[in-house]
Amino acid sequence: MASIYIDEDVGKDEPGQLGSETSPFKTLQFAYLQRPAEAQYLVRSPAAEGDADAVDGKVWKPAAKSALKKVVNYYEQQKKKAAREQELAAKRKQEEEERNAILLKAKEIVLEDDASLPAPVKIKLDEVGDHIKLRTLDDPESKGTRVRVVGRVHRERKQKDVLFVTLRDGYGFMQVVISGKLAKTYEALTLTRETSMEIYGEMRQVPAGARAPLDRELHADFYKIPSYWRAAGGDEAITNRVTADTDRSTLLNLRHLTLRGEGASSIMIVRDAVEGAFSQAFRELRIRKVSPPALVQTQVEGGATLFKFDYYGADAYLTQSSQLYLETCLPSMGDVYCIEKSFRAEKSLTRRHLSEFTHVEAELDFITFDDLLANIEHMMCRVLEIVMSDPVIAAHIKTLNPDFTLPQRPFMRMKYSDAIQWLIDHNIENEEGQPHSFGDDIAEAAERKMTDIIGKPIFLTHFPAHIKAFYMQRDPNDDRVTESVDCLMPGVGEIVGGSMRLDDYDALMAAFKREALDPSTYYWYTDQRKYGSSPHGGWGLGLERFLAWLCNQHTVRDCCLYPRFMGRCAP
């Protein structure tokens, strides 16, 4: 009988080991797996006192019966496992061969459009109207309109010999039923999500108890999937690259794919509607649109947040706000607005900050501070009325934010000094952990906590002059504070900021001096006070913050196409 040696100290569990006394295995289990035939297994163990065969205090002893029984059982389990795996591998191979044979046969199927059928009418997936008739279930003689649709596979499901596809085209969804020969083609059998398709077929009413977009479905009689329309499958399939548990950083890297999801695309669709509603609401008030420059050589909101770059050898910046340029349009155009990008180089990673954001800004001539507040309130509410009057957009918003209701007017008015007292009364401390006091720049966390507790829109007004921009008008009844306002919304905080503007030339020059700014580079702005000044004011709304509130999103990053914030400028 052969002897197999095991030494836990110097042995090695490697296939090259011989299991000899000079080349022992490390463990009994590994040794038995290598040499399961009749053999004597000797384990190097501590020697008994007076043992003549001892070397370095150890001797070779037969493996204990209990230990040997365990490894025998383990060996039998491994043998059964290997047999099962071999059986499964053979089964998989057989299934693969059968599938390959089916796919090979499927490649022989060629689809052709039936020329005897009516010419299809091209429609969008959400299109409705009298020109689209449905074949009804209670009238077997009825005919549905033959249509042609294009889109991408949003979902697909195989049921026996029928393929159900949910098609998406950016306007809506449509359920498509593919059966018979059409479901047996190579393209149908290997269909992957996001594959583009062109489908012809008859529009029909969905069966009783079934559900589909617009309660209709397309029964295909022909389709096209050119090879370059096919989406990647396998490990590269979109369902493997973008999942519910994918980390945020990866989702941002794959933003071009996440935008295809229902949630992300719904926000972008709402965004489009909101921008359009702002334009409509401004037009209703005869406020004219202008397009100020994005490359500037002056600051508006403080030098610390300027993106600086070389402009043909001179210093220039990305605009922080278009406000100053809007003011120059008032004498010739009346009230004006713009919807443009603004840039802030804030080294902040909070959920409501972006380095590039869409800024809705307006400047109004010959107004009072009360007029300004009324305009902000009207614009926000009117935009929401317009958006919610569209049933498609309203449905998107209700899906994203089921509890959304239109805000009640008038908005709550709260002076800064009253907000400081409210924070003191509610034991909400400042950033230094101390009770708030007049003059504090109320931090984001405290401001949001106050707004969330109050639970409705707030016009926070009359901020101290030293924490606001140089161009803001002082309150005629309290020189310490400005005629300024922030509109705060629950869940987000500040969405709008605005103020009356300094309209007196001397007061503006004094403000430049206090801020150590050279007024000569602002000559085009200060001239507005030299050539027919007027009481005027304006406001700016962060579109992404507005959307975060409206669509109940945790971060503004999900409310823009490709977010830009500290550390991210791609893709």
Side-chain angles (χ1 to χ4, degrees), residues 30 41 83 95 116 136 139 202 220 223 260 302 316 351 368 386 394 414 461 465 476 486 517 519 528 551 557:
F30 188 84
Y41 292 89
E95 289 173 348
S116 68
T136 58
D139 182 3
E202 182 187 35
Y223 62 81
R260 300 187 181 208
R351 61 190 178 95
T368 66
I386 295 169
M414 177 186 280
T461 67
D486 284 351
L517 292 173
Q528 304 306 309
C551 298
R557 297 175 189 177

Side-chain angles (χ1 to χ4, degrees), residues 224-236:
K224 296 178 185 176
I225 307 178
S227 59
Y228 56 92
W229 286 15
R230 291 170 58 82
D235 292 340
E236 285 295 300

Side-chain angles (χ1 to χ4, degrees), residues 377 381 384 405-413 456-457 549:
E377 184 177 270
C381 292
L384 292 171
T405 56
L406 291 171
Q408 297 295 310
R409 287 193 261 185
F411 291 178
M412 178 181 178
R413 267 70 166 168
K456 55 185 176 181
W549 166 70

